[in-house]
Amino acid sequence: MIKGYWIPVLHSHLPFVKHPKYENFLEEHWLFEAITECYVPLLKRLYMLEHENVDFRLTVSITPPLAEMLDDAHLMNKYKNYLNKAIDLGNKEIQRTQGNEEYANIALFYRNFFQETKDFFEQVLHGNVLNGYRHFYNKRSIEIITCGATHGFLPLLCVNENAVKAQIKIAVQAHKKHFNQHPRGIWLPECAYYDGLDEILKQNNIEFFIADSHSLIYAEPTSLNGAYAPVYTPNEVAVFGRDALSSKQVWSSKEGYPGDVNYRDFYRDIGYDLEYEYIKPYINPDGTRVFTGYKYHKITGDTNHKGVYNPWVAASKTKEHAENFHYHREKQMHELSELMSRTPMIVSPYDAELFGHWWFEGPEFLYQLFKVIDEKKIIKAITPVEYLHRYPNNQIVKPSASSWGDKGYYDVWLNQSNAWIYRHLHHMADVMSEYALKHKHTEQNDTVRILNQMLRELLLAQSSDWAFLMSTATATQYSANRTKEHISNFDVLKQMLDNNNINFDILIELEYKNSIFNFIDYKIFLGENTSHD
Amino acid sequence: MNLELQKIVNKSLELENDFSSSSHASNTIMYESQEAASEEFIIPSRYHKNTLVLLPINQEHYYVYWELTQELLHEYKVDLNQQKLYLKVEDSSDVLLFEFESSFDLSEYFFSLKVQNRDISVKLGYMKENKFIVILQSNNIRTFSSTIKLPDISNEIWLEKHKNYIKIIQSNIENMVFNESSASYMKQLKRLHYLNNAIITKSSSTTLLGRKND
């Protein structure tokens, strides 16, 4: 008998990073590493589950910038080079480690890992990772949901409502472009909600979103089923609350599964460990040491003397952890079912990039977990849409403003380190509204091109990643520069319009570099309501 | 609050602060190169506009920024070399909640204020003959909530949403005692509503009435 429903959600997102001027740009590796360690390993496991007739359900957000990058020919050519280089390094490593069986085995493991990734990418995915997601989306074993167009932190952009409307409407358009269907759900960027946002979601035919649990508990009125059943907003959009307990088991660096001593140590990498002259061709061209993906050590414990990583031992550990996760969910559902007369539901959202990148064995854990769930048939993994189909009757509340950031509100995206960006973002949105109206009827192609590029620059500046990275002091300089770059580009383009003097070299360069959303239409900033299509 | 509901609320909030953490993966995946630091972009230092914006940060902290043009200051005959600007945070009933002063025509300010569930805004102005003259008013924001507000008969509403129709079920039975689990309550409410023919199913687009989807 089914004791409860489990809704796993993987939020897949990276900011739009593309530097065509450079043959090798380190920040582009964020994408390449995520494809290699997260997206491809996940898809491979899903194909295995399908092949083994294992019933599984997964909700995956593929954000528009990520989808656009995965579909970008320039970036995917660079990705192929990245893989070839990694395979080349593996061949050198197999030779270097000859005579040391432990290291030779792990070197061979990684070389094969990169080679198999390349084979899968080319032969199964036909050079486009989105093809894998589309396969399962069309079969309804995964529900792909959208996100803000560029992952803008909506509660801090809503000073100009058109900015929020554009983020949502373009996200829906991007989803249709890449998946050929209307998204039924959305992962709000940073899980951030503000009162009134549901109306814009409704206008765009979005049926559900996910919020942190305090958004439902501090709602007006409180959700009577807590975070263990969805609610509807006054605009009839369903809200699913995030469960913290299941998050902790996976997220926690101390108590969570990824901290197991047998799992791969993320930080030890030959890019940092080996002699400079040897590793030089495989690190950044400027000489900066970087992760190569060849990581030979296991976590071992709280020591600098790390043992050699054994992928086969680690893989067997994932089965143990999958059993443990299942046990705890079963227990949790049992406790909840005594408090509720409906079958409880647990929503567990995670960053997709956690599974495989930081926690190398994460995709295997998910694979094992779906097998355990299918075998025991006590918990049922489903999607939010399936849940709503089973339980269409839910309480109406006005969710409280919230996010999934530290302390649950907006602190991470608005503090001393990043507050300076907002006066610019708000001004740019105001200009965009004004110019969209002013040039509403223009038929001049060059004017349209400039206005469309202004909108791209605004959207890219709005990405919440930049404010987040400034706040956490990770890639701070890059984030600050990226924000300034888009503000500056916007201003340059605006001046071209104001002075009726178009610099086509600049315009063409920006259109190629910041090429996100080839379908973009600046008139979206008129703020007219979406037609219900 | 009954015991079951209390437990559900507690479980929903349990550990939440510990694990209300986003983009954990970003910290490890998003490293930067030296190229990142080498490029420099010039951005406008001011926009020559009059603006005053209030943003919420959390339950206790807020951020405000402003810019005033020389034209506007001139219009009000404000000389910032000799006068100060005053910024007053008020609720929708004009109750003063917090105030501070500044001598700058373009600046920002973080402030602390413990008010929940209120609409607040900032008024920027100057003092003339002991009277506060407003020059600009900010946007309104709703302050955060961190209180549990159980529904009563007037605002406990359930929605049954199907592909082709929806139903709204509203409690209007005055002596209904909430002493069971929420789901049982819902069932009981539904049954009573059915018995009393109280389910509202109307063709209307009004939010809290049932309607047929197009």
Side-chain angles (χ1 to χ4, degrees):
Chain A
M1 186 191 159
I2 298 296
K3 280 191 179 173
Y5 298 105
W6 183 52
I7 301 183
V9 183
L10 294 184
H11 173 49
S12 319
H13 168 64
L14 286 173
F16 190 82
V17 175
K18 182 180 172 187
H19 294 270
K21 268 188 186 173
Y22 297 83
E23 193 180 329
N24 186 323
F25 200 86
L26 187 60
E27 284 75 1
E28 290 176 343
H29 288 218
W30 301 349
L31 175 67
F32 305 156
E33 288 179 15
I35 295 173
T36 309
E37 295 182 334
C38 310
Y39 311 145
V40 164
L42 175 70
L43 289 168
K44 281 174 89 169
R45 263 60 172 206
L46 297 185
Y47 275 105
M48 283 161 63
L49 291 170
E50 184 183 49
H51 182 70
E52 294 167 33
N53 286 322
V54 175
D55 185 39
F56 67 93
R57 291 290 186 281
L58 186 60
T59 300
V60 182
S61 66
I62 307 278
T63 67
L66 177 60
E68 290 280 296
M69 288 193 291
L70 293 173
D71 207 29
D72 186 284
H74 173 85
L75 288 171
M76 288 307 99
N77 275 332
K78 280 183 170 171
Y79 177 58
K80 284 176 194 165
N81 295 338
Y82 167 87
L83 281 177
N84 287 334
K85 210 168 172 181
I87 293 164
D88 185 46
L89 175 59
N91 289 329
K92 269 182 77 173
E93 276 298 280
I94 290 168
Q95 284 188 347
R96 188 186 67 83
T97 54
Q98 263 181 358
N100 184 329
E101 195 183 343
E102 271 189 317
Y103 283 102
N105 281 343
I106 186 73
L108 181 65
F109 166 81
Y110 277 118
R111 199 281 312 271
N112 290 346
F113 171 80
F114 284 110
Q115 183 62 56
E116 286 163 15
T117 301
K118 187 185 175 196
D119 294 344
F120 186 83
F121 178 71
E122 289 176 349
Q123 292 160 25
V124 179
L125 302 177
H126 304 291
N128 190 329
V129 175
L130 295 176
N131 283 333
Y133 289 107
R134 287 181 194 121
H135 172 81
F136 295 105
Y137 192 16
N138 291 336
K139 292 195 162 196
R140 294 287 159 210
S141 46
I142 68 173
E143 177 78 40
I144 299 184
I145 58 177
T146 192
C147 189
T150 52
H151 215 262
F153 194 85
L154 306 178
L156 297 177
L157 301 181
C158 69
V159 174
N160 183 325
E161 197 182 47
N162 287 344
V164 177
K165 286 182 172 176
Q167 280 279 339
I168 302 299
K169 191 168 181 178
I170 292 169
V172 169
Q173 290 172 341
H175 191 92
K176 284 176 167 174
K177 171 189 165 186
H178 293 293
F179 300 106
N180 203 29
Q181 49 191 301
H182 193 99
R184 300 186 71 173
I186 190 167
W187 175 269
L188 294 176
E190 316 296 1
C191 232
Y193 184 77
Y194 68 91
D195 188 27
L197 178 55
D198 60 323
E199 189 178 347
I200 297 172
L201 299 179
K202 172 74 182 294
Q203 286 164 4
N204 285 278
N205 288 336
I206 299 288
E207 295 172 45
F208 70 89
F209 65 91
I210 292 141
D212 237 41
S213 49
H214 61 285
S215 190
L216 304 189
I217 298 302
Y218 300 145
E220 182 77 47
T222 291
S223 162
L224 291 169
N225 279 318
Y228 306 108
V231 294
Y232 288 117
T233 72
N235 280 294
E236 303 157 18
V237 183
V239 192
F240 289 77
R242 185 171 80 117
D243 171 58
L245 188 61
S246 54
S247 289
K248 182 185 176 183
Q249 280 184 279
V250 176
W251 278 113
S252 172
S253 56
K254 288 178 185 166
E255 300 163 57
Y257 303 128
D260 187 280
V261 293
N262 291 293
Y263 286 152
R264 189 185 80 167
D265 189 286
F266 174 78
Y267 297 99
R268 288 290 298 274
D269 186 294
I270 65 168
Y272 292 89
D273 285 353
L274 295 186
E275 281 182 21
Y276 180 75
E277 284 305 319
Y278 174 83
I279 205 68
K280 193 179 167 189
Y282 304 99
I283 57 176
N284 211 45
D286 67 4
T288 309
R289 285 181 179 267
V290 295
F291 292 125
T292 62
Y294 284 80
K295 300 169 194 283
Y296 292 163
H297 297 91
K298 59 183 178 181
I299 290 172
T300 311
D302 194 13
T303 169
N304 286 328
H305 301 287
K306 303 287 182 186
V308 178
Y309 175 59
N310 185 325
W312 296 275
V313 170
S316 69
K317 211 63 187 159
T318 60
K319 196 173 178 188
E320 209 177 286
H321 285 155
E323 295 268 6
N324 181 275
F325 187 90
H326 188 280
Y327 167 78
H328 282 287
R329 292 295 72 69
E330 190 183 336
K331 190 167 165 246
Q332 189 183 6
M333 284 166 178
H334 177 73
E335 287 169 6
L336 288 168
S337 61
E338 292 189 339
L339 306 172
M340 303 165 67
S341 64
R342 90 162 45 176
T343 309
M345 166 214 78
I346 291 170
V347 180
S348 307
Y350 307 102
D351 271 348
E353 292 76 22
L354 171 75
F355 292 88
H357 183 70
W358 187 60
W359 183 18
F360 187 60
E361 298 79 7
E364 181 69 14
F365 165 80
L366 286 174
Y367 166 74
Q368 295 292 353
L369 181 55
F370 281 123
K371 285 181 70 161
V372 173
I373 289 171
D374 188 52
E375 188 187 309
K376 293 187 188 276
K377 302 202 187 319
I378 294 171
I379 295 168
K380 188 160 179 59
I382 61 171
T383 65
V385 170
E386 287 175 322
Y387 184 90
L388 290 172
H389 185 68
R390 285 163 203 252
Y391 292 98
N393 192 341
N394 295 291
Q395 189 188 352
I396 297 178
V397 306
K398 279 174 81 175
S400 166
S402 60
S403 83
W404 78 338
D406 188 29
K407 297 178 190 141
Y409 296 98
Y410 306 160
D411 306 49
V412 177
W413 296 274
L414 176 52
N415 54 58
Q416 299 277 0
S417 73
N418 53 28
W420 64 271
I421 69 174
Y422 291 101
R423 70 165 63 240
H424 300 287
L425 298 183
H426 296 158
H427 173 74
M428 289 158 77
D430 290 346
V431 169
M432 208 64 235
S433 292
E434 181 192 334
Y435 279 41
L437 189 62
K438 186 175 166 186
H439 298 282
K440 187 178 176 180
H441 301 296
T442 187
E443 290 181 354
Q444 289 182 8
N445 186 43
D446 296 337
T447 303
V448 171
R449 280 175 62 188
I450 291 175
L451 288 162
N452 286 343
Q453 193 57 34
M454 283 171 71
L455 180 51
R456 288 192 189 97
E457 302 296 338
L458 168 59
L459 291 168
L460 290 169
Q462 287 173 336
S463 168
S464 71
D465 304 272
W466 312 138
F468 174 84
L469 292 170
M470 287 177 214
S471 191
T472 58
T474 311
T476 313
Q477 191 64 48
Y478 183 75
S479 312
N481 265 10
R482 276 296 299 270
T483 309
K484 287 179 184 172
E485 177 190 346
H486 298 301
I487 296 168
S488 173
N489 291 345
F490 184 92
D491 197 47
V492 167
L493 291 161
K494 176 180 173 288
Q495 284 179 35
M496 286 185 199
L497 270 189
D498 291 347
N499 301 331
N500 198 20
N501 184 10
I502 301 173
N503 183 326
F504 284 97
D505 290 341
I506 292 176
L507 178 60
I508 290 166
E509 187 188 330
L510 292 181
E511 284 176 332
Y512 184 63
K513 180 174 186 284
N514 299 325
S515 57
I516 195 166
F517 308 136
N518 59 3
F519 55 83
I520 208 162
D521 180 359
Y522 70 92
K523 292 195 190 80
I524 210 161
F525 243 82
L526 291 169
E528 289 161 359
N529 288 345
T530 310
S531 60
H532 286 204
D533 47 2
Chain B
M1 194 186 312
N2 70 38
L3 192 59
E4 280 103 350
L5 181 55
Q6 178 71 60
K7 283 181 179 173
I8 286 177
V9 166
N10 289 347
K11 282 179 181 296
S12 295
L13 291 177
E14 195 178 25
L15 302 171
E16 221 217 19
N17 279 345
D18 290 351
F19 293 93
S20 259
S21 186
S22 71
S23 303
H24 186 187
S26 304
N27 286 334
T28 56
I29 208 165
M30 294 179 186
Y31 43 84
E32 66 183 341
S33 63
Q34 290 172 358
E35 282 116 324
S38 66
E39 294 183 83
E40 280 191 22
F41 299 94
I42 298 164
I43 61 172
S45 56
R46 60 169 62 229
Y47 288 108
H48 308 287
K49 66 193 280 191
N50 299 303
T51 186
L52 173 62
V53 173
L54 173 63
L55 296 172
I57 299 173
N58 57 33
Q59 297 141 299
E60 294 179 21
H61 295 98
Y62 302 86
Y63 171 71
V64 60
Y65 72 80
W66 66 92
E67 179 181 344
L68 301 176
T69 60
Q70 289 307 308
E71 290 76 19
L72 189 72
L73 290 171
H74 184 72
E75 184 186 324
Y76 281 92
K77 297 186 176 61
V78 175
D79 180 358
L80 291 180
N81 292 319
Q82 300 188 16
Q83 289 170 275
K84 283 185 175 167
L85 295 171
Y86 293 84
L87 292 101
K88 295 176 184 280
V89 183
E90 296 180 354
D91 68 9
S92 52
S93 308
D94 294 337
V95 173
L96 180 65
L97 302 168
F98 181 79
E99 64 182 322
F100 60 97
E101 55 188 50
S102 171
S103 301
F104 302 105
D105 59 349
L106 184 151
S107 194
E108 62 181 353
Y109 197 81
F110 287 87
F111 65 91
S112 180
L113 180 67
K114 289 186 184 177
V115 288
Q116 295 207 357
N117 284 322
R118 284 170 70 184
D119 292 317
I120 63 168
S121 65
V122 181
K123 288 174 182 164
L124 180 152
Y126 63 100
M127 298 302 292
K128 186 178 179 185
E129 295 164 1
N130 287 329
K131 201 176 161 193
F132 179 61
I133 310 294
V134 180
I135 300 177
L136 277 181
Q137 180 160 355
S138 77
N139 54 311
N140 284 302
I141 61 166
R142 181 84 177 161
T143 62
F144 292 102
S145 162
S146 60
T147 51
I148 293 166
K149 292 154 281 186
L150 292 180
D152 55 31
I153 53 169
S154 68
N155 70 349
E156 181 176 339
I157 303 164
W158 292 73
L159 172 72
E160 195 171 311
K161 192 174 177 185
H162 297 273
K163 195 173 180 183
N164 297 318
Y165 70 96
I166 61 169
K167 284 180 186 170
I168 299 293
I169 305 155
Q170 182 164 16
S171 170
N172 59 359
I173 297 155
E174 289 183 6
N175 58 356
M176 188 90 179
V177 180
F178 181 41
N179 59 0
E180 295 185 67
S181 74
S182 55
S184 304
Y185 177 66
M186 183 198 83
K187 280 183 184 168
Q188 195 176 355
L189 181 67
K190 202 171 165 184
R191 184 177 63 79
L192 287 169
H193 274 256
Y194 270 109
L195 289 175
N196 291 298
N197 198 21
I199 292 179
I200 308 160
T201 309
K202 295 178 181 175
S203 296
S204 164
S205 60
T206 307
T207 305
L208 294 181
L209 294 179
R211 67 160 179 75
K212 287 195 172 185
N213 286 335
D214 298 327

